[in-house]
Amino acid sequence: MGHAFNQYQSPLQRSCEHAVSYIESLPERKIDQVVTSEQLRHALGGPLPLEGSDPAAVIDEMVKNVDAGLIASGGPRFFGYAIGGALPASLAADWLVSAWDQNVPYYVSSPAMAVVEETAAEWMVELLGLTPGSAVGFTSGAQEAIYTALITARNTLLQRAGWDVATQGLYGAPRINVVLSDQIHSTIKRALSMIGIGLNDIIKVPTDDNLRMLPDALRDIMATCEGPTLVCAQAGCIDSGAFDLFDEIADCVAAHPNAWCHVDGAIGLWAAASEKQNYLLKGIERIDSIDTDGHKWFNMPYDCGMVIVKDPSAITTAMGGSNMGDYLNDAMAKPDRNAINFGISASRRARGVPVYAAFKSLGKAGIAAHLDNCTDLAKLMAAQLAEVEGITVLNDVVSNRFSVQFGTGDTASRDALTERVVHRLQQEGYVYPSTSGYKGVKTMLISILNYHTCQEDVLTSVEKILAAFEVEKAMMA
């Protein structure tokens, strides 16, 4: 049987045509088509095919049937949750990652990908002003990055206490104190439960009105913590965009005999690349480990996250990359970057390649301009909404996100009106915010992350939000 690599040309060409058509439709496309799951199952499901089909025809049919169920989250007016778009060079690079199909845990399995990721890691540390030589691992997203960082923190804290997790396990290990902001993201709690730390063991630190951890409260709590202690803070709170005070937090951690500080920077860490915004991250270089997402503010295509650990030996020891089968001994002995030392994946795609392409295509100045544009637009939108009677912006807007509540009545009526306004906007499909909560009240969450969002998008979105507010207010009167 002969080789048939020429079979790729037609389906890839069709895929490219469909992809470009979809991307170019994003500025005008309705964000949510409001299709039902049953409709999608009818279009996409059915019995398992018995015979094969032409690959190009498969692509055409699949695109036709999935279209109504796609959320246009890459568009310029998608402001929900924390989802960015995709930079042109990064998306194109990601297509090549799939075509090259390299497995990248070891240098020997793809020397070029190893060096690309090594370079992207070095550039990222430089861009963000972190400690030179910090280890960077490329993960599926912030959740995996958090998991990786907290495994590293757990093992390091216990090692300092005389307990080797790799050989002794966790049964009988010293208890680890866990101290978190009361606004910490759920992914931190999820990761803690995965590494054997129960939610009942968490000590919560109160926050101010802008959802920043109170350093004096942290200091008082840590004074009562004996033994290994893990502290988790935030760079870019999900509901306010606020940044904890890292210098003061680092002082608290340094004063403790055995403490580790992790910062969840899934959204906000990238602000360190902007001269206008990096004051928000003063002291971040003193933090032991940090997670962030590439597919949020940095606009990488899914999936792409990063874990950063100041002491490379801590993560390489925790990941146990040297504890491999005999058939990999020669691979691990090479004096080059083996990505398996910086993450939990033993097989993965080259997620650092789109990051490398972004650095090359935008440069430091272009990245900073994107970050500053998002923050400027968030401040503009918040200011426009705050001028309207009955609309309250709940936080000081220091970054790319803010929370809004609608109405002037009691909490229950404001919550109900806010939810109705958001749902109306989602169904209309021009602008897409999401709902969230702000210290117990229902909110509309606006998150501006997309490289393509411009002032016109913001101003027209404000008009749509105000119109929805008036309609729903009248209906509830």
Side-chain angles (χ1 to χ4, degrees), residues 252-269:
C252 294
V253 172
H256 192 280
N258 186 11
W260 180 287
C261 185
H262 176 76
V263 166
D264 177 15
I267 303 170
L269 180 65

Side-chain angles (χ1 to χ4, degrees), residues 33-315:
Q33 309 289 336
V34 197
V35 65
T36 68
S37 57
E38 283 303 315
Q39 289 172 317
L40 290 171
R41 291 188 187 100
H42 179 74
L44 294 163
L48 173 69
L50 296 178
E51 304 293 337
S53 300
D54 174 67
V58 169
I59 295 300
D60 287 342
E61 181 183 7
M62 184 177 67
V63 168
K64 175 184 176 182
N65 291 333
V66 305
D67 187 76
L70 296 175
I71 298 295
S73 54
R77 295 178 303 278
F78 185 90
F79 302 138
Y81 312 107
I83 300 175
L87 296 168
S90 296
L91 178 57
D94 197 58
W95 286 6
L96 286 173
V97 169
S98 293
W100 289 332
D101 197 24
Q102 304 285 284
N103 190 25
V104 298
Y106 315 103
Y107 175 86
V108 296
S109 63
S110 186
M113 298 298 94
V115 173
V116 167
E117 290 202 341
E118 177 183 72
T119 304
E122 291 172 352
W123 286 349
M124 183 175 176
V125 169
E126 179 183 350
L127 176 75
L128 300 177
L130 301 175
T131 301
S134 294
V136 178
F138 294 98
T139 66
S140 60
Q143 177 70 84
E144 184 184 330
I146 293 166
Y147 183 46
T148 305
L150 296 192
I151 291 172
T152 303
R154 178 198 65 188
N155 289 16
T156 303
L157 288 169
L158 291 178
Q159 187 70 45
R160 293 173 187 167
W163 189 275
D164 183 359
V165 174
T167 58
Q168 295 175 273
L170 288 174
Y171 294 115
R175 179 181 178 276
I176 297 177
N177 304 299
V178 180
V179 182
L180 310 177
S181 161
D182 67 12
Q183 297 296 315
I184 205 72
H185 195 271
S186 58
T187 47
I188 293 283
K189 299 175 185 177
R190 188 164 182 251
L192 287 169
S193 68
M194 291 178 180
I195 67 169
I197 297 177
L199 299 183
N200 289 340
D201 293 331
I202 290 174
I203 305 169
K204 294 183 179 179
V205 183
T207 51
D208 62 18
D209 290 342
N210 213 41
L211 309 187
R212 296 188 307 177
M213 184 190 293
L214 296 172
D216 289 343
L218 172 64
R219 190 174 297 109
D220 292 342
I221 290 171
M222 291 195 68
T224 69
C225 293
E226 297 182 1
T229 300
L230 170 64
V231 177
C232 294
Q234 292 190 103
C237 175
I238 189 74
D239 288 308
S240 69
F243 293 72
D244 290 331
L245 300 173
F246 304 117
D247 253 341
E248 296 185 45
I249 292 170
D251 287 343
C252 294
V253 172
H256 192 280
N258 186 11
W260 180 287
C261 185
H262 176 76
V263 166
D264 177 15
I267 303 170
L269 180 65
W270 299 99
S274 163
E275 292 184 1
K276 294 180 180 179
Q277 300 183 63
N278 60 16
Y279 72 94
L280 295 165
L281 291 114
K282 185 175 183 295
I284 193 68
E285 73 283 353
R286 301 174 61 190
I287 299 302
D288 296 297
S289 61
I290 311 167
D291 68 83
T292 193
D293 260 333
H295 48 246
K296 289 185 170 56
W297 208 356
F298 197 44
N299 282 212
M300 293 297 100
Y302 279 92
D303 55 15
C304 181
M306 299 88 167
V307 57
I308 307 159
V309 179
K310 185 165 67 171
D311 178 5
S313 66
I315 189 171

Side-chain angles (χ1 to χ4, degrees), residues 77-83 185 211 236-242 267 296 381 385 392 394-395 400-406 418-419 421-422 425-426 431-438 441-449 465:
R77 295 178 303 278
F78 185 90
F79 302 138
Y81 312 107
I83 300 175
H185 195 271
L211 309 187
C237 175
I238 189 74
D239 288 308
S240 69
I267 303 170
K296 289 185 170 56
M381 179 181 274
L385 293 174
T392 304
L394 298 175
N395 60 284
N400 56 15
R401 55 203 304 104
F402 60 92
S403 291
V404 172
Q405 194 170 53
F406 296 91
T418 299
E419 187 170 29
V421 170
V422 172
L425 291 167
Q426 291 175 344
V431 53
Y432 195 104
S434 56
T435 58
S436 190
Y438 201 99
V441 300
K442 178 76 73 173
T443 61
M444 178 181 74
L445 177 62
I446 294 288
S447 180
I448 300 182
L449 299 168
I465 292 169

